[in-house]
PDB file of all heavy atoms in Angstrom:
ATOM      1  N   VAL A  47     -24.314 115.634  -4.612  1.00 96.00           N
ATOM      2  CA  VAL A  47     -24.934 115.316  -3.315  1.00 96.00           C
ATOM      3  C   VAL A  47     -26.419 115.681  -3.345  1.00 96.00           C
ATOM      4  O   VAL A  47     -27.277 114.893  -2.940  1.00 96.00           O
ATOM      5  CB  VAL A  47     -24.205 116.066  -2.170  1.00 96.00           C
ATOM      6  CG1 VAL A  47     -24.944 115.878  -0.849  1.00 96.00           C
ATOM      7  CG2 VAL A  47     -22.768 115.613  -2.064  1.00 96.00           C
ATOM      8  N   ASN A  48     -26.720 116.880  -3.830  1.00 96.00           N
ATOM      9  CA  ASN A  48     -28.118 117.313  -3.907  1.00 96.00           C
ATOM     10  C   ASN A  48     -28.938 116.432  -4.845  1.00 96.00           C
ATOM     11  O   ASN A  48     -30.086 116.087  -4.537  1.00 96.00           O
ATOM     12  CB  ASN A  48     -28.189 118.774  -4.361  1.00 96.00           C
ATOM     13  CG  ASN A  48     -27.654 119.729  -3.322  1.00 96.00           C
ATOM     14  OD1 ASN A  48     -27.554 119.403  -2.146  1.00 96.00           O
ATOM     15  ND2 ASN A  48     -27.274 120.918  -3.764  1.00 96.00           N
ATOM     16  N   LEU A  49     -28.374 116.066  -5.992  1.00 95.00           N
ATOM     17  CA  LEU A  49     -29.093 115.202  -6.930  1.00 95.00           C
ATOM     18  C   LEU A  49     -29.342 113.827  -6.325  1.00 95.00           C
ATOM     19  O   LEU A  49     -30.433 113.265  -6.457  1.00 95.00           O
ATOM     20  CB  LEU A  49     -28.316 115.076  -8.240  1.00 95.00           C
ATOM     21  CG  LEU A  49     -28.298 116.313  -9.116  1.00 95.00           C
ATOM     22  CD1 LEU A  49     -27.313 116.147 -10.259  1.00 95.00           C
ATOM     23  CD2 LEU A  49     -29.692 116.612  -9.652  1.00 95.00           C
ATOM     24  N   LYS A  50     -28.335 113.266  -5.651  1.00 95.00           N
ATOM     25  CA  LYS A  50     -28.490 111.949  -5.026  1.00 95.00           C
ATOM     26  C   LYS A  50     -29.585 111.983  -3.964  1.00 95.00           C
ATOM     27  O   LYS A  50     -30.428 111.093  -3.891  1.00 95.00           O
ATOM     28  CB  LYS A  50     -27.158 111.513  -4.431  1.00 95.00           C
ATOM     29  CG  LYS A  50     -27.150 110.111  -3.907  1.00 95.00           C
ATOM     30  CD  LYS A  50     -25.751 109.728  -3.447  1.00 95.00           C
ATOM     31  CE  LYS A  50     -25.653 108.253  -3.222  1.00 95.00           C
ATOM     32  NZ  LYS A  50     -25.036 107.548  -4.306  1.00 95.00           N
ATOM     33  N   ASN A  51     -29.582 113.035  -3.136  1.00 96.00           N
ATOM     34  CA  ASN A  51     -30.610 113.172  -2.102  1.00 96.00           C
ATOM     35  C   ASN A  51     -31.995 113.342  -2.699  1.00 96.00           C
ATOM     36  O   ASN A  51     -32.973 112.769  -2.208  1.00 96.00           O
ATOM     37  CB  ASN A  51     -30.282 114.349  -1.181  1.00 96.00           C
ATOM     38  CG  ASN A  51     -29.101 114.068  -0.281  1.00 96.00           C
ATOM     39  OD1 ASN A  51     -28.760 112.923  -0.030  1.00 96.00           O
ATOM     40  ND2 ASN A  51     -28.459 115.127   0.186  1.00 96.00           N
ATOM     41  N   THR A  52     -32.115 114.115  -3.762  1.00 95.00           N
ATOM     42  CA  THR A  52     -33.407 114.319  -4.419  1.00 95.00           C
ATOM     43  C   THR A  52     -33.925 113.015  -5.006  1.00 95.00           C
ATOM     44  O   THR A  52     -35.107 112.689  -4.862  1.00 95.00           O
ATOM     45  CB  THR A  52     -33.298 115.396  -5.511  1.00 95.00           C
ATOM     46  OG1 THR A  52     -32.907 116.629  -4.898  1.00 95.00           O
ATOM     47  CG2 THR A  52     -34.618 115.584  -6.231  1.00 95.00           C
ATOM     48  N   MET A  53     -33.045 112.257  -5.666  1.00 93.00           N
ATOM     49  CA  MET A  53     -33.464 110.961  -6.232  1.00 93.00           C
ATOM     50  C   MET A  53     -33.990 110.050  -5.126  1.00 93.00           C
ATOM     51  O   MET A  53     -35.029 109.413  -5.277  1.00 93.00           O
ATOM     52  CB  MET A  53     -32.286 110.275  -6.940  1.00 93.00           C
ATOM     53  CG  MET A  53     -31.769 110.984  -8.155  1.00 93.00           C
ATOM     54  SD  MET A  53     -32.798 110.773  -9.595  1.00 93.00           S
ATOM     55  CE  MET A  53     -32.518 109.070  -9.968  1.00 93.00           C
ATOM     56  N   ARG A  54     -33.277 109.993  -4.002  1.00 94.00           N
ATOM     57  CA  ARG A  54     -33.677 109.118  -2.902  1.00 94.00           C
ATOM     58  C   ARG A  54     -34.993 109.591  -2.272  1.00 94.00           C
ATOM     59  O   ARG A  54     -35.900 108.801  -2.027  1.00 94.00           O
ATOM     60  CB  ARG A  54     -32.571 109.046  -1.845  1.00 94.00           C
ATOM     61  CG  ARG A  54     -32.879 108.078  -0.719  1.00 94.00           C
ATOM     62  CD  ARG A  54     -31.770 107.962   0.318  1.00 94.00           C
ATOM     63  NE  ARG A  54     -31.372 109.252   0.839  1.00 94.00           N
ATOM     64  CZ  ARG A  54     -30.172 109.814   0.641  1.00 94.00           C
ATOM     65  NH1 ARG A  54     -29.263 109.185  -0.063  1.00 94.00           N
ATOM     66  NH2 ARG A  54     -29.895 110.997   1.150  1.00 94.00           N
ATOM     67  N   ASN A  55     -35.117 110.900  -2.043  1.00 96.00           N
ATOM     68  CA  ASN A  55     -36.295 111.429  -1.360  1.00 96.00           C
ATOM     69  C   ASN A  55     -37.545 111.443  -2.230  1.00 96.00           C
ATOM     70  O   ASN A  55     -38.644 111.182  -1.742  1.00 96.00           O
ATOM     71  CB  ASN A  55     -36.020 112.839  -0.838  1.00 96.00           C
ATOM     72  CG  ASN A  55     -34.984 112.859   0.257  1.00 96.00           C
ATOM     73  OD1 ASN A  55     -34.792 111.874   0.967  1.00 96.00           O
ATOM     74  ND2 ASN A  55     -34.286 113.972   0.386  1.00 96.00           N
TER      75      ASN A  55
END
Side-chain angles (χ1 to χ4, degrees):
V47 173
N48 292 340
L49 289 170
K50 187 175 193 100
N51 289 338
T52 299
M53 295 283 290
R54 184 178 53 246
N55 293 334

